[in-house]
Amino acid sequence: GAGVSQTPSNKVTEKGKYVELRCDPISGHTALYWYRQSLGQGPEFLIYFQGTGAADDSGLPNDRFFAVRPEGSVSTLKIQRTERGDSAVYLCASSPGSTYNEQFFGPGTRLTVL
Amino acid sequence: DQQVKQNSPSLSVQEGRISILNCDYTNSMFDYFLWYKKYPAEGPTFLISISSIKDKNEDGRFTVFLNKSAKHLSLHIVPSQPGDSAVYFCAATRMDSSYKLIFGSGTRLLVRP
């Protein structure tokens, strides 16, 4: 099945390190979203791409977080100087376009910062 | 400030009976609402949605009701099946924005055989 895939599925890192999380959206989907889900909470919006550009990055918590989508397909979420509070499941979702309401989610990357 | 709230963290029902999951929101600008279902170690899966111009949408065993004046929506599952056991998230969005979803904290449904 050609669903949304995310790698790695699990990432353990030490405080202060840099991490990259990858998202492969469904082929042809122009809209891509990143969310973060902490334990016991619902997913929280981070950033939205329409094509190659970040159309809405209002959910990024601070400047340690950055995301790119250089060719309008694969996206990478980058976290610098990780902190223990960054530990969460990072979810990626895609949809056919910005006017389509249903988002298709990947399985997530569980990030643990020690 | 939580804009979407699911006040029941868990719900347990008998197989064959009705499950009712509730959701409240505070932002009157929301105009589209969705329910997602999540199994452990998987991403959320879209279940059903409703536009603010409607008050009911039905899809098989699943019905979503929207009460705009009360800023309340509910998901009804009839009849409930053991395979429905999962965490259910309510989400809201504005269609004139980036369509980013604002999620509630979820309700864990257990359907007992």
Side-chain angles (χ1 to χ4, degrees), chain B residues 7-100:
Chain B
N7 292 317
S8 298
S10 64
L11 175 67
S12 179
V13 300
Q14 192 75 37
E15 180 179 7
R17 307 294 283 268
I18 185 171
S19 295
I20 301 176
L21 295 93
N22 293 303
C23 178
D24 297 291
Y25 62 97
T26 57
N27 189 341
S28 58
M29 298 299 290
F30 289 142
D31 52 16
Y32 203 83
F33 304 89
L34 307 90
W35 284 93
Y36 278 81
K37 174 179 173 179
K38 187 180 184 303
Y39 293 117
E42 295 183 9
T45 302
F46 170 75
L47 197 56
I48 192 169
S49 62
I50 188 166
S51 163
S52 61
I53 63 174
K54 296 185 176 181
D55 55 18
K56 177 182 174 181
N57 188 26
E58 190 172 352
D59 183 2
R61 297 186 297 115
F62 303 91
T63 303
V64 56
F65 295 92
L66 175 62
N67 182 335
K68 280 190 297 182
S69 61
K71 295 191 179 67
H72 177 85
L73 64 156
S74 61
L75 174 68
H76 293 209
I77 307 174
V78 182
S80 302
Q81 300 174 353
D84 296 330
S85 297
V87 177
Y88 289 78
F89 291 100
C90 168
T93 190
R94 289 176 53 177
M95 290 195 286
D96 65 348
S97 71
S98 59
Y99 293 84
K100 63 187 179 188

Side-chain angles (χ1 to χ4, degrees), chain A residues 33 35 37 40-45 48 55-56 58-59 91 97-108, chain B residues 2 32 34 36 38 41-46 49 87 89 93-95 97-106:
Chain A
Y33 302 79
Y35 294 83
Q37 186 176 12
Q41 301 298 316
E44 179 185 4
F45 170 78
Y48 155 61
D56 183 347
S58 62
L91 294 162
S98 62
T99 57
Y100 192 89
N101 293 299
E102 178 185 339
Q103 296 175 22
F104 298 83
F105 282 82
Chain B
Q2 252 190 312
Y32 203 83
L34 307 90
Y36 278 81
K38 187 180 184 303
E42 295 183 9
T45 302
F46 170 75
S49 62
V87 177
F89 291 100
T93 190
R94 289 176 53 177
M95 290 195 286
S97 71
S98 59
Y99 293 84
K100 63 187 179 188
L101 299 177
I102 309 299
F103 284 87
S105 55

Side-chain angles (χ1 to χ4, degrees), chain A residues 9-93:
Chain A
S9 55
N10 280 283
K11 176 70 177 179
V12 180
T13 191
E14 293 180 343
K15 181 175 178 294
K17 298 289 188 183
Y18 168 83
V19 296
E20 289 189 352
L21 311 179
R22 176 186 167 109
C23 171
D24 281 88
I26 294 172
S27 177
H29 281 194
T30 59
L32 185 145
Y33 302 79
W34 284 98
Y35 294 83
R36 176 170 73 172
Q37 186 176 12
S38 301
L39 195 62
Q41 301 298 316
E44 179 185 4
F45 170 78
L46 295 177
I47 188 169
Y48 155 61
F49 287 90
Q50 180 55 42
T52 60
D56 183 347
D57 64 357
S58 62
L60 294 178
N62 51 60
D63 61 6
R64 295 187 298 105
F65 289 74
F66 190 71
V68 295
R69 194 187 186 199
E71 298 178 357
S73 177
V74 171
S75 177
T76 304
L77 178 66
K78 308 180 180 193
I79 311 174
Q80 299 178 323
R81 304 183 304 281
T82 52
E83 299 178 356
R84 292 195 179 88
D86 298 335
S87 297
V89 175
Y90 289 80
L91 294 162
C92 176

